[in-house]
Amino acid sequence: MTPPSSAAHGLSRRGLFTGAAAAGTAAALPSLLAPAPAVAAPKAPATTAAKPVAAFPGAVVKPGDGRYPALSRGNNHRFVGEPEYIRLVNSTADVVQAVQEAVDAGKRIAVRSGGHCYENFVDDRAVKVVIDLSEFNTVSFDQQRGAFSVEAGAMLGEVYERLYKGWGVTVPGGNCPTVCAGGHVAGGGYGSLSRKHGLIVDHLHAVEVVVVDASGKARAVIATNAPRDPNRELWWAHTGAGGGTFGVVTRYWFRSPGASGSDPAKLLPQPPSEVWIHNVVWPWSALDENSFGRLVRNYGAWHERNSGPDSPYRDLFSQLKLIHPSNGVVVMSTQIDAGAPNAEKLLDSFLAAVTDGVGAPHTVTERHRLPWLQATRWTGFTGPDSTQRFKGKPAYFRKNFTEAQTRTMYRHLTREDFKSSGAFMTLASIGGQGNAVAPDATAVAQRDSVIKFQCGVLWTDAAEDARQLEWVRGLYREMFSATGGVPVPNEQTDGLFINYADVDARDPELNTSSVPWSTLYFKGNYPRLQRAKAAWDPKNLFRHTLSIEPPK
């Protein structure tokens, strides 16, 4: 997941690489203008079939190679790895070979697809081999399995475009087009269609993983959601436990539960033809502690009331972005299916509920219909890939924010001794159909929350690390001071989201609750994940600070 832009409106981002230009042939048309010449035209020289373009050949990149600085780090520039080499792969066989060579040499392995990890799970100096899946990125329909195949290096923007252009379908994944499927899916990713169609893992049919057995032999295993599949627990473990913990995911297959038949266009959700997009801003100059608090609590109260699976608002997704006052405004970006019954009235009702009694003027900066595919690139929900240093901290909310929490938000954003344009809090809509799934049906246990909260900060200067970290940790610790500095599972909050990884949950000075980090992330699903870990990674070769630990 890409951190939000620090720009005032979140409107700048890198261009989306669409990738999936359709190939075609032109039909020859007879000439309607002139008769054939009297003299026979000379014969064209014999031609040979064009040679196919070679697939990405793979590579081994070592220190001294000009590519090494770029490939030894992800998007969070707080962390830079020092691997002995980076292995770029383009097939499952390549991955098996790469894993086997590293295991035989006793070298620590990490895996990268898109590079959007919040922490140093890959860029850890203990890691000696990075397996880079970014060029292993095909999206296709697998006739044999009756499901869509998505390789781990495929960027979400490419996935949406290829599925939609080819078959008119999609998966309800995240809003950042450059995040890759590899880690996003395994962590239970969500996005603007998740209130209507659930999480992306709710449509996961199968997964291919390169694992290493107790004897040290690497092999590729395909695990499906079929009840009698002997590998089913490996599939289940990849529906929300996060990446890099059981093996190397090489590809996923998607097909919606209950889908049948052979028509690919009926095997995954069809996205809206068009959506209404809506952007609203409130000037910081008109917001005080009371109006700010009213705005945030209005937003939370609306989500409490309207996040059931059958809500007429399940077609609506929104983000309230509380960005630092130096950016000038607070921003709310919203999307709703234009084909939903009374879509515009629902959008107006939502805005009225959020603005009720705030007392500060707001301005609608954008409101128009947009084809859904173009809306996947809308800058209201997407930010640029970070080339900065970053720290983010997440929370699930089941119920609205308290007055004490909104006062804390306001106070930390308006501190006179901390003026950083990269400081933010984001409140994102969840719930809807995502809450219709049982907590143990997938590894994502948080199935009755209504808002995903994230606070964070972006900066560039390494000398600023301590000050920036102090701000975001101080805000978070105070917001959850009643529960030991973390959002423990209780009536209001429900723990943490692994795709917004925050290693502070393991720090006893920052998590003073009696709730361990593993419960915050995985709740009652953790023992089952540990059993899967013991079965599929018995040597604990695939590990990082928040990976599933073997049972003791």
Side-chain angles (χ1 to χ4, degrees):
M1 190 76 178
T2 299
S5 169
S6 60
H9 292 254
L11 298 181
S12 64
R13 65 172 177 85
R14 57 173 293 189
L16 171 65
F17 170 64
T18 57
T25 57
L29 298 176
S31 172
L32 301 178
L33 300 177
V39 180
K43 289 184 178 181
T47 59
T48 57
K51 293 182 179 180
V53 177
F56 178 79
V60 176
V61 176
K62 297 181 178 181
D65 188 310
R67 296 168 290 180
Y68 184 87
L71 298 178
S72 60
R73 72 179 70 194
N75 287 34
N76 189 349
H77 287 201
R78 282 177 62 207
F79 310 113
V80 180
E82 295 181 352
E84 293 181 11
Y85 61 88
I86 299 112
R87 177 79 174 264
L88 291 107
V89 297
N90 69 352
S91 71
T92 300
D94 275 358
V95 176
V96 172
Q97 181 182 12
V99 170
Q100 191 67 67
E101 289 174 356
V103 170
D104 290 347
K107 298 184 186 300
R108 176 89 172 265
I109 304 169
V111 186
R112 189 182 338 262
S113 52
H116 290 78
C117 185
Y118 279 22
E119 299 283 4
N120 67 333
F121 297 167
V122 180
D123 301 313
D124 180 341
R125 293 185 179 182
V127 169
K128 302 304 178 187
V129 176
V130 172
I131 298 175
D132 188 311
L133 295 156
S134 59
E135 298 301 322
F136 190 28
N137 56 17
T138 299
V139 178
S140 61
F141 183 70
D142 185 331
Q143 294 279 359
Q144 182 178 359
R145 293 193 175 275
F148 292 91
S149 169
V150 175
E151 292 174 347
M155 294 190 292
L156 295 181
E158 297 171 335
V159 174
Y160 301 149
E161 185 155 353
R162 293 172 188 177
L163 289 179
Y164 189 67
K165 286 184 174 179
W167 302 274
V169 299
T170 193
V171 287
N175 293 99
C176 178
T178 57
V179 165
C180 287
H184 179 75
V185 177
Y190 78 105
S192 55
L193 295 183
S194 290
R195 282 167 57 90
K196 178 67 176 288
H197 297 297
L199 306 181
I200 194 168
V201 292
D202 297 338
H203 302 266
L204 182 62
H205 171 69
V207 61
E208 181 180 68
V209 192
V210 174
V211 297
V212 179
D213 65 21
S215 70
K217 180 175 177 56
R219 63 192 174 104
V221 175
I222 295 176
T224 76
N225 62 358
R228 296 186 179 181
D229 186 342
N231 301 330
R232 190 177 191 277
E233 286 300 284
L234 184 62
W235 164 84
W236 182 85
H238 284 86
T239 62
T245 192
F246 300 99
V248 182
V249 175
T250 51
R251 80 184 77 222
Y252 299 101
W253 286 267
F254 293 97
R255 186 175 70 209
S256 296
S260 60
S262 58
D263 183 356
K266 296 181 179 178
L267 299 180
L268 280 176
Q270 294 182 350
S273 175
E274 293 183 307
V275 295
W276 280 102
I277 59 173
H278 194 262
N279 221 51
V280 182
V281 300
W282 289 263
W284 266 106
S285 59
L287 291 169
D288 59 16
E289 184 177 280
N290 291 331
S291 56
F292 176 92
R294 181 64 180 258
L295 171 62
V296 173
R297 289 193 300 278
N298 281 355
Y299 189 84
W302 185 92
H303 281 81
E304 263 195 68
R305 295 192 304 268
N306 296 287
S307 295
D310 298 324
S311 169
Y313 288 96
R314 63 187 178 274
D315 294 291
L316 183 149
F317 174 82
S318 181
Q319 291 178 348
L320 180 61
K321 291 165 275 194
L322 310 172
I323 52 182
H324 192 270
S326 60
N327 294 293
V329 292
V330 165
V331 184
M332 185 173 73
S333 303
T334 305
Q335 171 184 301
I336 189 169
D337 181 352
N342 301 311
E344 283 195 89
K345 290 183 179 179
L346 293 174
L347 185 58
D348 290 339
S349 174
F350 169 66
L351 180 60
V354 173
T355 58
D356 181 45
V358 171
H362 65 273
T363 302
V364 176
T365 59
E366 192 171 5
R367 179 178 176 138
H368 60 98
R369 291 172 71 118
L370 196 63
W372 171 80
L373 185 61
Q374 279 68 47
T376 63
R377 310 167 197 170
W378 181 46
T379 52
F381 293 145
T382 64
D385 279 350
S386 173
T387 55
Q388 298 172 281
R389 308 170 82 79
F390 172 70
K391 176 65 179 178
K393 297 176 75 66
Y396 282 98
F397 274 82
R398 287 169 153 160
K399 292 190 179 298
N400 199 2
F401 304 92
T402 66
E403 289 190 21
Q405 287 170 333
T406 60
R407 285 196 298 269
T408 295
M409 295 178 188
Y410 181 84
R411 184 165 57 255
H412 281 269
L413 280 171
T414 59
R415 276 172 48 177
E416 288 297 322
D417 63 337
F418 184 81
K419 296 182 179 181
S420 173
S421 63
F424 71 91
M425 281 167 269
T426 302
L427 285 54
S429 304
I430 55 169
Q433 189 60 32
N435 284 355
V437 177
D440 61 353
T442 66
V444 179
Q446 293 87 355
R447 291 293 189 162
D448 63 357
S449 296
V450 299
I451 286 177
K452 268 184 178 158
F453 169 87
Q454 179 181 194
C455 59
V457 63
L458 300 98
W459 70 101
T460 55
D461 186 354
E464 284 283 299
D465 283 5
R467 193 172 76 94
Q468 303 285 340
L469 292 170
E470 181 276 329
W471 180 84
V472 69
R473 286 171 173 161
L475 159 67
Y476 195 82
R477 182 169 54 244
E478 188 174 340
M479 274 198 68
F480 303 108
S481 59
T483 53
V486 291
V488 303
N490 62 19
E491 184 178 348
Q492 187 204 24
T493 56
D494 203 20
L496 308 175
F497 176 42
I498 192 62
N499 276 0
Y500 297 166
D502 175 20
V503 299
D504 292 352
R506 293 199 69 142
D507 187 335
E509 294 186 3
L510 298 174
N511 174 8
T512 59
S513 75
S514 59
V515 181
W517 71 271
S518 53
T519 301
L520 291 171
Y521 280 103
F522 307 113
K523 299 177 66 176
N525 287 338
Y526 191 63
R528 184 175 172 185
L529 289 169
Q530 287 187 291
R531 293 193 292 273
K533 177 73 169 179
W536 294 101
D537 184 21
K539 298 172 76 69
N540 196 24
L541 295 173
F542 300 96
R543 62 189 188 274
H544 51 72
T545 311
L546 297 179
S547 60
I548 307 302
E549 296 176 333
K552 295 180 180 178

